[in-house]
Amino acid sequence: MRETSFVMIKPDGVQRGLVGEVIRRLEAKGLRLVALKMLRISREMAETHYREHQGKPFYEGLMDFITSGPVVAMAWRGPKAVSVIRKVMGPTDPAEAPPGTIRGDYGLDVGQNIVHGSDSPESAQRELDLFFSTEELVDYTRSLEPWVAEDFK
Ligand code: DAT
Ligand code: MG
């Protein structure tokens, strides 16, 4: 079933020059980029985005890190987009992430794992609403999509 997921290139991804590489991998996978913007997120926005981690030992460090520099926020659409993107990213800890995944190929520290991707369609909706207005999501069709899978439309 077609889904839209929220993806964010974190401050480390931006500082390390991996913006193009992350976009390249998602684009080449066949997903459709429907929104993109660069921003520096506020503490308030960081708290809302990562509210399920409040109180955990790494929470304050996560707040400091995610607000430390610009991020690139995106919406990607496609069949099973949420789980497909999690597979392209790899597991949370880059040291455990297999080669061939973004985190497995470019990361080593769990606190600096380059990219965020929603973990369920429900989180995706909540995160997309936090970062984008409805008008900022631009839908269109890539030329081969009508011939691939019915559920991409
Ligand atoms: P994911 O980003 O794979 O969804 P998560 O939601 O469990 O992972 O955690 C959110 C972020 O918090 C994660 O990308 C990096 C940071 N984090 C998670 N566990 C951590 C830990 N044990 N130490 C330091 N940072 C951690
Ligand atoms: Mg998460």
Side-chain angles (χ1 to χ4, degrees):
M1 205 181 75
R2 191 187 84 166
E3 294 171 348
T4 308
S5 190
F6 175 71
V7 175
M8 178 171 65
I9 304 172
K10 300 186 187 184
D12 55 323
V14 174
Q15 296 306 320
R16 291 179 55 201
L18 293 171
V19 171
E21 179 61 15
V22 172
I23 292 175
R24 188 193 68 74
R25 288 182 182 222
L26 296 173
E27 192 179 31
K29 178 70 180 167
L31 294 158
R32 183 193 312 166
L33 179 61
V34 294
L36 171 132
K37 67 178 157 192
M38 174 168 260
L39 73 157
R40 178 118 180 211
I41 65 181
S42 63
R43 167 82 193 203
E44 194 186 2
M45 210 165 170
E47 284 176 2
T48 307
H49 178 70
Y50 280 126
R51 65 181 183 188
E52 76 267 27
H53 297 299
Q54 210 171 351
K56 292 184 185 168
F58 60 83
Y59 182 74
E60 281 306 321
L62 178 60
M63 290 297 101
D64 288 345
F65 178 63
I66 211 71
T67 57
S68 69
V71 301
V72 175
M74 297 175 281
W76 288 88
R77 186 167 287 166
K80 300 180 188 164
V82 169
S83 64
V84 166
I85 289 167
R86 296 283 295 191
K87 287 188 189 109
V88 172
M89 285 168 33
T92 307
D93 184 354
E96 304 298 331
T101 64
I102 295 169
R103 287 163 165 175
D105 285 347
Y106 297 111
L108 202 53
D109 173 31
V110 69
Q112 299 183 39
N113 58 11
I114 305 148
V115 66
H116 165 86
S118 310
D119 62 9
S120 68
E122 293 70 33
S123 325
Q125 195 53 60
R126 185 176 73 80
E127 294 167 359
L128 289 166
D129 287 344
L130 178 63
F131 281 83
F132 293 105
S133 64
T134 317
E135 308 84 68
E136 285 179 302
L137 269 63
V138 181
D139 205 21
Y140 59 95
T141 305
R142 285 172 63 174
S143 70
L144 295 175
E145 285 167 9
W147 289 272
V148 269
E150 191 60 31
D151 58 7
F152 203 106
K153 291 168 200 162

